[in-house]
Amino acid sequence: MATGSTKRRVRAPNQKARTAARAAARYDLDNLERHEIVALVSLTRRAYRVPARPGTLVTRVIEDERSVQSDLAQGVTIMVARTHGSRPRLLGAVRLVEDRGALFFSRLAVVPSARGRGLGAALVGAAESSARAWGLDEVRCDVALGKDLIGFYERLGYEVEHEYLGPGGLAKAQLVKRL
Ligand SMILES: CC(C)(COP(=O)(O)OP(=O)(O)OC[C@H]1O[C@@H](n2cnc3c(N)ncnc32)[C@H](O)[C@@H]1OP(=O)(O)O)[C@@H](O)C(=O)NCCC(=O)NCCS
């Protein structure tokens, strides 16, 4: 008996870069403004929610207005992707910090309704542009193993540098890209 198979379209890296460039042009990628903090908290919750278990977040993403304000006060840069127009909506975000001579990005998030159109890749590209602007030639991020997400980053030029056990024994990898 034939079994159903899921075919996934695999895009070539240069096509992926073009898709990301189109996404970058379609949205406004810029630093978070203070009045957008509530929208950011909502975006993160929607992005990290487990679809089958609406009350559960994918990883231990504990975020509220106070924690975002605290991150900003500690020098974390939060970049967001907004729609253009008179009433912009937040569709994606990523956090950037400088760590030991490299730019480290985390909490990459795109709302479910805007996925698969290059916005995630565009936000990673914006993180890399920030690294260059900050005079850094290395970009790093952590990813949980076993979620296939490593393929997403590898197509953007990232390599696994090392694997480790994170909080709660979660298997993770640190990825790096030299610019
Ligand atoms: C990961 C994420 C930011 C990607 O955003 P996006 O706008 O859909 O990304 P793009 O459109 O640029 O790229 C989509 C590609 O990533 C792949 N991808 C996205 N999420 C994936 C996942 N969880 N597992 C495997 N592949 C994934 C898609 O299959 C697609 O591949 P393709 O280009 O070969 O078709 C988004 O899915 C998200 O917010 N996920 C929840 C939060 C999260 O896990 N963040 C990353 C923490 S390290």
Side-chain angles (χ1 to χ4, degrees):
M1 192 175 72
T3 52
S5 68
T6 310
K7 286 191 183 157
R8 207 158 68 79
R9 217 162 17 103
V10 178
R11 293 186 201 131
N14 57 350
Q15 188 190 347
K16 199 156 182 60
R18 282 198 297 275
T19 309
R22 276 200 297 275
R26 205 176 311 132
Y27 305 108
D28 175 24
L29 301 182
D30 200 357
N31 287 357
L32 178 81
E33 293 183 12
R34 295 236 160 225
H35 67 85
E36 295 174 317
I37 290 178
V38 171
L40 174 73
V41 171
S42 159
L43 177 150
T44 308
R45 283 169 193 265
R46 277 177 287 150
Y48 280 88
R49 194 174 288 147
V50 178
R53 286 177 287 151
T56 314
L57 300 186
V58 173
T59 50
R60 289 206 265 162
V61 178
I62 299 158
E63 179 159 302
D64 56 25
E65 286 175 59
R66 190 182 289 197
S67 69
V68 174
Q69 271 157 355
S70 157
D71 286 348
L72 292 171
Q74 287 174 49
V76 176
T77 297
I78 305 180
M79 292 199 73
V80 293
R82 333 180 162 89
T83 54
H84 290 298
S86 54
R87 299 188 63 182
R89 283 179 300 119
L90 294 196
L91 298 182
V94 65
R95 274 149 213 253
L96 321 175
V97 287
E98 185 178 344
D99 181 26
R100 284 166 283 175
L103 181 142
F104 186 86
F105 73 82
S106 61
R107 217 165 276 191
L108 176 66
V110 171
V111 291
S113 60
R115 287 185 192 163
R117 288 184 250 147
L119 186 50
L123 283 160
V124 173
E128 292 167 5
S129 299
S130 295
R132 290 189 189 91
W134 295 358
L136 305 171
D137 57 9
E138 207 171 84
V139 181
R140 293 174 175 272
C141 70
D142 282 345
V143 62
L145 290 174
K147 289 208 289 166
D148 287 347
L149 260 178
I150 286 188
F152 165 75
Y153 289 114
E154 282 178 341
R155 289 194 290 278
L156 296 173
Y158 288 76
E159 292 170 10
V160 175
E161 192 182 63
H162 65 270
E163 296 180 5
Y164 67 98
L165 287 182
L170 187 66
K172 300 190 86 173
Q174 179 148 127
L175 310 183
V176 63
K177 177 173 177 178
R178 294 189 174 84
L179 301 177

